[in-house]
Amino acid sequence: MTDDPGIQARHAAGLLLNAALERRNGLDEALSKPPVSTLEPQDRAFARAVAMAALRRLGEIDAILDRRLKRSPPLAVRTLMRTALAQTLTLGTPAFAAVSSAVKLAERDPATRPYKALINAVLRGIDRDGTGATDPVANFPDWLTARWRQTYGEAALQAMAKAASLEPPTDLSLKPGTDAGALAEALEAHILAPDTLRTDRRGDLRDWAGFEDGLWWVQDAAAAVPARLLEVRADHTVLDLCAAPGGKTLQLAATGATVTALDRSDKRLDRLRDNLKRMGLSAEVIASPAEDWDDARTFDRVLLDAPCSATGTFRRNPEALRATRPADVGNLADVQHRLLDAAAARVAPGGRLVYCTCSLEREEGETQVTAFLRRNEAFRTVAADPAAVGAPEEALTPEGWLRILPGQWADKGGLDGFFIAALERVD
């Protein structure tokens, strides 16, 4: 293997791309293992950036390549061309550098060596003649495109496609008492909501102002809405179900309420424990499946951020679209059904339950809550006020729930897709 770090990083980018396409969480797993994990930090970051750029525009990239290919080459060859185009189309890498690296990578592998000339000719031809017209909607899997077009309409689909092709900014939720203006200046950010900053800054978060002081944590603007909808007071008891990695738990703990955070994965709760310590916040952290938790307590407020297909997170996690299959939606809906009933049993009379998923699929949102209300007459919807909880006005549904789409707030940089409903137990 060559010792050229640039070549190693580009090789790693291909490994990350294919891992993401093969299985859910594949990209994160590949990042944590050699040869990717042994790269220098800047090379590992570059490899991840290339893979993410390729995932965001995979449909367009393949369309551009297929116009020049008489027949589809082996996956290893297509991967080299995909990652090269991701660099030139999205990351601003000079074409000569991307093409040269792709050819060098082809040369070192017996399986791809016979395709060196093809790779060189195709990539140089695209650089010379241009990409031609492309359709951002092509970056979505066909089955999701059909669902979203039917559910949300063509205009919303186009807006989501545009959002999907762009690298999103970083949103920070602020600890109460933080000087938002001073921190925004230090981080080249703007104030998106009273307790949320948004910045285009990149790099190691640990080096950012306020990190060591525990002034903020990373949380998409849409992900901050469910905890606000709970309307938690300091004298409340609060249960956060399926809590890991813990951004919402931090929001709840910052109110001064007595918070219990529950998740089936003790390993995933480690990040929450670390962040609670860094932020100087406290919560009871328990590793247990919500359905099997042997505890008789009820709570004033219960938050269920249920496991889901995560199709609404494609701005930050484009691999989620490739890893999700049609059958997953129905399977996850069954899990959500059970979790909702378990959560409802934990709500004290007069208390509030907020159910949310970062999915764009109605089976995991509107349909789920409609069915829950039919079988639980003790609960009723509490209509959301979008402005009060930091959500787009157009997210409000006729039922009083919130359906946030990634194409909303386009002028502000967008936000993740979420379904959120507040439900009150009648006293």
Side-chain angles (χ1 to χ4, degrees):
M1 180 181 290
T2 179
D3 291 326
D4 182 347
I7 293 294
Q8 292 183 40
R10 287 170 168 85
H11 171 65
L15 296 177
L16 292 174
L17 172 60
N18 288 336
L21 295 175
E22 287 168 4
R23 60 194 180 279
R24 185 174 289 275
N25 299 322
L27 187 142
D28 288 338
E29 291 173 8
L31 275 169
S32 65
K33 297 176 182 178
V36 185
S37 63
T38 55
L39 291 173
E40 291 296 321
Q42 65 270 24
D43 293 323
R44 188 165 60 250
F46 176 74
R48 183 181 184 279
V50 173
M52 293 292 276
L55 286 166
R56 286 194 176 95
R57 300 190 63 181
L58 192 65
E60 290 179 280
I61 287 172
D62 279 348
I64 294 166
L65 290 173
D66 289 343
R67 290 171 189 158
R68 299 215 165 234
L69 294 167
K70 293 181 179 179
R71 61 180 64 89
S72 185
L75 176 60
V77 176
R78 184 174 286 272
T79 298
L80 291 176
M81 293 192 284
R82 282 170 165 174
T83 53
L85 278 185
Q87 293 170 60
T88 58
L89 297 180
T90 304
L91 302 182
T93 303
F96 73 85
V99 175
S100 174
S101 297
V103 172
K104 288 179 181 178
L105 283 169
E107 167 66 33
R108 73 179 198 173
D109 185 344
T112 55
R113 193 174 298 144
Y115 297 89
K116 279 194 315 176
L118 174 68
I119 293 170
N120 184 66
V122 168
L123 293 178
R124 292 195 183 282
I126 292 169
D127 178 49
R128 179 186 65 247
D129 302 331
T131 61
T134 59
D135 181 4
V137 173
N139 297 320
F140 295 145
D142 290 344
W143 71 276
L144 284 172
T145 295
R147 287 172 66 95
W148 295 345
R149 179 177 281 119
Q150 181 177 16
T151 302
Y152 302 115
E154 186 64 32
L157 176 66
Q158 293 291 338
M160 290 195 290
K162 183 176 180 180
S165 66
L166 303 174
E167 184 176 4
T170 299
D171 295 343
L172 307 177
S173 288
L174 306 184
K175 185 178 180 181
T178 300
D179 186 335
L183 189 60
E185 184 176 355
L187 295 175
E188 303 168 271
H190 64 272
I191 300 173
L192 194 63
D195 57 354
T196 301
L197 297 186
R198 170 163 286 182
T199 178
D200 290 323
R201 186 171 178 167
R202 309 294 176 193
D204 192 336
L205 298 174
R206 293 170 296 183
D207 296 332
W208 292 14
F211 178 85
E212 292 295 341
D213 297 326
L215 300 183
W216 51 263
W217 62 93
V218 175
Q219 185 177 33
D220 187 85
V225 172
R228 296 190 190 119
L229 200 55
L230 271 177
E231 296 185 354
V232 174
R233 300 195 309 259
D235 61 339
H236 280 154
T237 57
V238 186
L239 176 62
D240 185 5
L241 294 171
C242 309
K248 298 175 184 66
T249 305
L250 296 175
Q251 276 182 282
L252 300 171
T255 66
T258 302
V259 177
T260 299
L262 196 75
D263 196 277
R264 65 171 55 245
S265 171
D266 192 50
K267 183 177 180 181
R268 293 186 73 225
L269 285 170
D270 283 341
R271 180 176 171 186
L272 170 56
R273 295 184 183 102
D274 290 343
N275 273 326
L276 284 168
K277 183 177 180 181
R278 179 175 66 87
M279 303 297 300
L281 300 171
S282 63
E284 179 186 17
V285 180
I286 300 173
S288 172
E291 311 97 306
D292 303 329
W293 186 36
D294 186 16
D295 191 301
R297 282 179 289 173
T298 58
F299 298 80
D300 301 310
R301 298 289 188 267
V302 176
L303 174 61
L304 173 57
D305 183 1
C308 68
S309 60
T311 52
T313 68
F314 60 67
R315 295 164 61 252
R316 302 188 186 281
N317 304 296
E319 68 275 18
L321 300 185
R322 303 292 169 177
T324 301
R325 302 291 181 264
D328 295 342
V329 177
N331 293 337
L332 286 162
D334 290 340
V335 174
Q336 293 148 11
H337 176 115
R338 296 195 302 271
L339 286 171
L340 253 174
D341 286 346
R346 300 288 177 179
V347 182
R352 182 175 295 192
L353 165 65
V354 166
Y355 169 80
C356 66
T357 61
C358 53
S359 167
L360 297 177
E361 316 319 309
R362 289 184 63 88
E363 299 94 321
E364 301 180 84
E366 293 88 344
T367 303
Q368 196 67 248
V369 172
T370 298
F372 171 81
L373 290 172
R374 284 176 181 161
R375 66 179 183 270
N376 289 274
E377 294 182 356
F379 283 85
R380 64 188 177 195
T381 293
V382 180
D385 178 353
V389 295
E393 291 291 337
E394 61 268 36
L396 186 65
T397 73
E399 299 86 354
W401 308 326
L402 294 173
R403 168 52 78 185
I404 301 174
L405 298 179
Q408 294 168 354
W409 271 6
D411 58 331
K412 300 180 181 180
L415 70 177
D416 282 352
F418 260 83
F419 173 83
I420 312 165
L423 310 169
E424 183 179 55
R425 179 184 282 277
V426 179
D427 190 352

